[in-house]
Amino acid sequence: MNIHEYQAKQILDRYGVPTPRAEVATTAAEAKEIAARIGGRVVVKAQVHAGGRGKVGGVRLVDTPAEAADVAESLIGSRLVTNQTGPAGVPVEKVMIAETLDIKKELYLSIVVDGNIGAPVVMASTEGGVEIEEVAERSPEKIFRVAGDPLIGLTTYRARDLAMALEVPPEALRSATALISNLYRVFVENDCSLVEINPLVITADHQIVALDAKINLEDDALFRHPDLAELRDSNQQDPLERRAYKSDLAYVKLDGGRVGCMVNGAGLAMATMDITKVVGADPANFLDIGGSADQERIEEAFKIIMDDDDVEIILVNLFAGIARADVVAAGIVAAAKETNAHIPMVVAMRGTNADEGLAILANSGLDITGAPDLAGAADVLRQKLLETGGNN
Amino acid sequence: MAVLVGPHTRLLVQGLGRDGSFQASRTREYGTSMVAAVHPGRDGQKFEDVVPYFSTVARAVEQTGANTGVIFVPAPFAMDAIIEQIDAGLELVVCITEGVPVLDMVRVMAYLKGKPTRLVGSNCPGVLSPASKAKVGIIPGSIVRPGNVGVVSRSGTLTYEAIAQLVQHGMGQSTCVGIGGDPVHGTTFTDVLELFQADDETEAIVLIGEIGGVREQLAAEYIKKHVTKPVVAAIAGQSAPAGKRMGHAGAIVTGKAALASEKNKALSEAGVHVVDSPAHIGARMKEVLG
């Protein structure tokens, strides 16, 4: 789960991680007041769940409270389209007004679980303010890593090692070490999937400050953090993804595809997207209906696919183990009748009650072409796509 | 001989709620030797009038000689169940549960270090050996056939798809191992490849990977050095966009190495037969085995 920068900053504050003085505004008038209170040059930052804000005017430096109000006015209520959002963009409902600092050095720091070594790893670089992927490609020798111990945590000497590798000035060594240790605690104690500070800055007076903060929380661990679960801002989600989330369906909208995919199991769902691509069309979505979906959830899954305007044909691929094919078929028929959908469907069903499921679909009067398996579904889909006007 | 499970398997099932009970029934139907059921508060009762219930794993092991455990308990309690099974000295622990917090798996893996137990999962379909009717998990017994292809996969239903394709082309399986879709998991591709390479019953291997992590690249390195048996591989998620989690917690493109294309490349360079479509796994294996 993504959270906003200002919410991440609140978490960092609780752990004593230095951040710039900042407040959140939902109106231009508030922005003006805050800018006046902070004084001097401030930065106005759109609060959205997407990177790349700075390149599209979502982060702006202003010199006066009046200017802060103007920028806030233009941002709040708009939609920000960045290289990470897709063409629809994300709504800006809040801006954060923060003090500016006299920066001497920009660094990068992040924490993720390294699946390969099975521990949280702190990664840092002397190249702050740029995408870490770029640094990894261009100058991997500028990236440093230290691992925490799952049962002990991050020992102070390792945090200090990292601070030394970053060549922080002697005056800032102690505070940099503390900051790294505290960020590690933020990561572990809040079950984060990502803590990223880019840039982490050293100021002219040797203060070390988290100038930006990105925290992603692990969805699977939210059950033990009810306070953090409330930070969810579903307005930032794609509307179809938001509906899917409510129904406990793993769904990802893919831009521009026209083949809606309905599958059980994440691996098979990816494979189904892949064969769509192999036959020359783009998948419209990833959807895993899961193993124990009841008819109601199947109906909602079908409606979500139907409500995607890009979808022209639906590919259903079911290998029922725990799931029952007849329940899925009944759900599809009910949803199709309710929404009066006249969409062609290609259906492959195997496993538990597959024959019953195929019979329900065959007798439904819907535009359904059966397929024996994944290879068969690919062939039928290729044929259908030719009939409906070539490849996209 | 199959790998991980076989005629020696004496199975303990932990967590007999709705899904656990359903799966335990299928396991018994298939013919697997299920000797104990663990569900607190049901001591003295029997699952399906046959298998004794116990409140703790230690007691179940002591009284039944169970050597293999499978876990169906809900995600918030999965770490505890895995550690309980490790402490009871089970040789093989298979955790089916999906949605176990990553940091819980991090702790489990640290706890496991130096202990004799082997862990498969979490978030996996389990292990099945058709020849010895040993089913530890949820792979449907109806789709497998005894034979000589070893299957190892990060996925559940895509594994069934691969098995069905093998059967369709007349090939059975020595053992099917689902290692799971979580970023931190017990037994890895490399571990299973080592077992398959040493297994007389296994003549060829199907490896099914997906986007995320670097385990497929490590598997490729291992294959290059140590595996002489033919390997057919499919990597799911060629069409997945970057930065979006595709269902499985581990299936997310976060960097170049996590891309399907990078994994395909590493495996091809190691001499693996990488299919261009997941629909061609069975056909490709048929070609390879001639």
Side-chain angles (χ1 to χ4, degrees):
Chain A
M1 179 178 105
N2 293 330
I3 61 173
H4 287 295
E5 180 191 6
Y6 78 92
Q7 295 167 327
K9 179 179 145 46
Q10 286 165 1
I11 295 174
L12 296 189
D13 287 346
R14 287 207 288 277
Y15 284 80
V17 175
T19 57
R21 204 176 144 206
E23 289 179 58
V24 174
T26 52
T27 65
E30 275 174 22
K32 190 175 182 180
E33 272 173 42
I34 294 166
R37 198 152 48 229
I38 292 173
R41 183 166 233 220
V42 295
V43 59
V44 182
K45 303 171 95 174
Q47 296 298 290
V48 290
H49 288 181
R53 291 176 301 179
K55 292 175 192 130
V56 293
V59 179
R60 305 239 284 269
L61 281 168
V62 296
D63 290 311
T64 66
E67 273 182 72
D70 287 346
V71 170
E73 180 72 40
S74 71
L75 283 174
I76 294 169
S78 72
R79 293 184 79 85
L80 209 61
V81 180
T82 83
N83 57 0
Q84 296 182 10
T85 61
V90 282
V92 183
E93 294 177 338
K94 294 186 173 92
V95 293
M96 189 171 93
I97 324 289
E99 68 173 328
T100 53
L101 303 170
D102 186 0
I103 297 164
K104 277 287 163 267
K105 202 170 174 187
E106 295 197 356
L107 309 168
Y108 170 95
L109 192 144
S110 68
I111 310 176
V112 293
V113 168
D114 182 328
N116 194 27
I117 65 166
V121 168
V122 188
M123 186 161 73
S125 160
T126 48
E127 301 274 294
V130 287
E131 297 278 333
I132 193 67
E133 277 290 312
E134 283 173 33
V135 183
E137 283 279 310
R138 200 181 56 230
S139 35
E141 74 284 355
K142 287 186 178 162
I143 297 179
F144 309 98
R145 292 180 178 82
V146 291
D149 182 282
L151 306 179
I152 292 171
L154 183 71
T155 52
T156 306
Y157 89 86
R158 286 200 182 162
R160 194 184 305 120
D161 268 355
L162 194 63
M164 293 293 287
L166 292 172
E167 294 170 1
V168 304
E171 298 90 334
L173 183 59
R174 214 170 262 278
S175 53
T177 305
L179 178 137
I180 294 165
S181 300
N182 288 333
L183 283 174
Y184 187 87
R185 284 180 50 225
V186 167
F187 184 88
V188 171
E189 291 175 17
N190 298 284
D191 278 294
C192 298
S193 52
L194 172 73
V195 171
E196 185 177 55
I197 311 295
N198 190 20
L200 175 69
V201 303
I202 296 172
T203 62
D205 56 348
H206 308 304
Q207 302 295 308
I208 184 153
V209 182
L211 201 62
D212 195 0
K214 183 175 180 190
I215 291 182
N216 291 347
L217 301 165
E218 202 210 336
D219 285 282
D220 289 337
L222 284 174
F223 69 87
R224 55 187 172 209
H225 304 287
D227 51 329
L228 298 177
E230 284 178 18
L231 300 181
R232 180 180 299 277
D233 181 355
S234 45
N235 290 343
Q236 295 288 317
Q237 272 176 300
D238 172 90
L240 294 174
E241 290 183 6
R242 190 189 320 157
R243 272 171 64 188
Y245 175 80
K246 277 189 192 147
S247 296
D248 209 11
L249 294 160
Y251 169 91
V252 178
K253 166 91 181 93
L254 305 174
D255 290 320
R258 59 174 172 149
V259 180
C261 299
M262 184 166 180
V263 189
N264 70 321
L268 194 60
M270 281 187 272
T272 305
M273 284 161 47
D274 293 347
I275 64 145
T276 302
K277 199 90 177 177
V278 169
V279 302
D282 285 327
N285 63 279
F286 166 93
L287 172 62
D288 172 10
I289 58 172
S292 50
D294 55 14
Q295 187 174 324
E296 206 177 319
R297 232 160 88 197
I298 305 296
E299 287 180 34
E300 176 63 3
F302 186 85
K303 288 176 191 167
I304 287 169
I305 294 176
M306 285 302 299
D307 285 341
D308 178 349
D309 293 335
D310 298 332
V311 170
E312 293 166 20
I313 184 166
I314 295 179
L315 175 55
V316 178
N317 187 15
L318 197 72
F319 210 121
I322 316 174
R324 279 172 44 195
D326 54 332
V327 173
V328 176
I332 291 173
V333 171
K337 296 227 156 124
E338 194 185 317
T339 54
N340 207 13
H342 299 288
I343 192 161
M345 280 183 258
V346 178
V347 179
M349 275 189 183
R350 277 86 43 86
T352 314
N353 296 357
D355 292 341
E356 290 88 334
L358 288 168
I360 290 169
L361 292 173
N363 297 326
S364 67
L366 298 169
D367 179 2
I368 287 165
T369 313
D373 50 27
L374 194 57
D379 291 340
V380 175
L381 184 64
R382 184 182 282 120
Q383 192 55 43
K384 284 271 170 192
L385 290 167
L386 288 173
E387 286 167 20
T388 56
N391 299 337
N392 58 352
Chain B
M1 267 302 288
V3 307
L4 297 170
V5 297
H8 64 282
T9 297
R10 292 176 63 79
L11 183 65
L12 172 157
V13 179
Q14 185 169 11
L16 289 113
R18 188 193 61 177
D19 291 343
S21 296
F22 177 84
Q23 293 300 337
S25 281
R26 301 291 84 76
T27 301
R28 295 193 63 241
E29 264 170 31
Y30 185 63
T32 306
S33 165
M34 175 178 162
V35 298
V38 173
H39 204 92
R42 292 187 193 162
D43 296 88
Q45 300 175 35
K46 286 186 169 162
F47 177 74
E48 295 187 337
D49 299 325
V50 179
V51 184
Y53 269 111
F54 301 89
S55 283
T56 72
V57 176
R59 192 168 294 193
V61 170
E62 187 189 296
Q63 298 200 14
T64 66
N67 55 18
T68 299
V70 63
I71 293 169
F72 292 106
V73 306
F77 316 109
M79 176 173 76
D80 194 70
I82 296 171
I83 290 176
E84 185 179 4
Q85 294 204 357
I86 295 170
D87 284 350
L90 291 172
E91 293 160 25
L92 175 68
V93 173
V94 177
C95 181
I96 306 299
T97 309
E98 180 174 4
V100 181
V102 173
L103 286 174
D104 282 2
M105 285 308 297
V106 163
R107 291 176 187 112
V108 162
M109 293 310 293
Y111 187 77
L112 190 58
K113 221 165 262 174
K115 298 194 173 64
T117 300
R118 180 190 283 280
L119 172 68
V120 176
S122 54
N123 187 18
C124 75
V127 186
L128 192 151
S129 169
S132 54
K133 294 276 177 194
K135 167 176 147 94
V136 180
I138 64 174
I139 298 173
S142 57
I143 62 169
V144 299
R145 298 287 179 276
N148 304 103
V149 179
V151 178
V152 59
S153 169
R154 277 170 71 183
S155 160
T157 49
L158 183 54
T159 312
Y160 312 163
E161 169 70 39
I163 292 169
Q165 287 181 27
L166 290 172
V167 169
Q168 196 191 340
H169 286 88
M171 290 168 287
Q173 303 82 43
S174 57
T175 313
C176 307
V177 186
I179 60 172
D182 281 346
V184 178
H185 53 263
T187 298
T188 64
F189 277 133
T190 310
D191 296 330
V192 181
L193 287 167
E194 187 181 351
L195 294 170
F196 279 148
Q197 175 65 24
D199 176 38
D200 294 341
E201 203 187 326
T202 303
E203 286 173 12
I205 300 162
V206 168
L207 182 150
I208 299 169
E210 61 192 34
I211 55 168
V214 296
R215 298 284 196 183
E216 288 79 1
Q217 282 89 335
L218 297 177
E221 273 174 43
Y222 186 84
I223 290 167
K224 208 187 244 172
K225 286 192 197 133
H226 304 288
V227 178
T228 55
K229 298 175 181 179
V231 182
V232 170
I235 305 295
Q238 310 281 340
S239 54
K244 292 266 193 177
R245 173 178 157 176
M246 298 286 122
H248 287 159
I252 180 164
V253 173
T254 47
K256 200 174 167 209
L259 287 167
S261 55
E262 288 294 310
K263 294 168 187 291
N264 280 349
K265 197 171 126 207
L267 288 162
S268 294
E269 284 168 8
V272 172
H273 307 272
V274 181
V275 296
D276 51 7
S277 162
H280 298 155
I281 300 166
R284 191 62 180 274
M285 184 55 92
K286 180 87 182 165
E287 271 172 39
V288 168
L289 289 179

